[in-house]
Amino acid sequence: MIDFVICFASILLLQIITPWWWWILIVPFVLGIIRAKSGWYGFLIGMSGSGLLWFVSSIYYYFSDSQIIAHRVAEMFALGSPFLLILISGFMAAVAGGFAGSSGHAIRKAIFEKP
């Protein structure tokens, strides 16, 4: 639980300070190197932290005067509903963050741990 809070809070703080989207990959990767006990645990940390943050921020931006752009992007991808767009983007961020966390654990095992 503490690893999820660290991941979520770190990404949130970095997103507030800088507007770069790729923090959802960097933070889980670093946490995967430092704190992950297994590949699945690294995947879970990255997936939950990145996915939840991206989903919540998408909902926040949608309800703070971004309905027009969300509707247009949803129409462009033939989704029909901007909420489906929010779900899909949250899922994609979750998967990307999960693979980043798992990759961090794999890098630690490959480089830092001896067989």
Side-chain angles (χ1 to χ4, degrees):
M1 183 68 178
I2 189 73
D3 294 330
F4 164 72
V5 172
I6 291 170
C7 184
F8 186 84
S10 300
I11 297 171
L12 179 63
L13 182 66
L14 289 168
Q15 284 288 95
I16 290 171
I17 293 170
T18 61
W20 302 314
W21 64 269
W22 41 264
W23 290 119
I24 67 166
L25 300 172
I26 302 297
V27 172
F29 182 78
V30 171
L31 283 174
I33 290 174
I34 296 171
R35 301 210 24 119
K37 300 171 186 87
S38 68
W40 284 108
Y41 188 71
F43 188 86
L44 185 64
I45 292 171
M47 183 180 82
S48 59
S50 297
L52 185 65
L53 183 72
W54 198 274
F55 179 73
V56 169
S57 65
S58 296
I59 289 175
Y60 170 75
Y61 287 127
Y62 178 78
F63 286 115
S64 63
D65 297 331
S66 294
Q67 290 99 359
I68 295 171
I69 191 83
H71 282 284
R72 289 182 181 173
V73 172
E75 287 177 12
M76 183 173 67
F77 286 116
L79 295 175
S81 171
F83 294 109
L84 187 58
L85 177 70
I86 290 170
L87 283 173
I88 290 172
S89 67
F91 176 74
M92 290 174 62
V95 170
F99 281 126
S102 181
S103 297
H105 179 264
I107 293 292
R108 183 182 76 199
K109 281 195 78 135
I111 294 176
F112 300 118
E113 294 180 7
K114 298 188 184 207

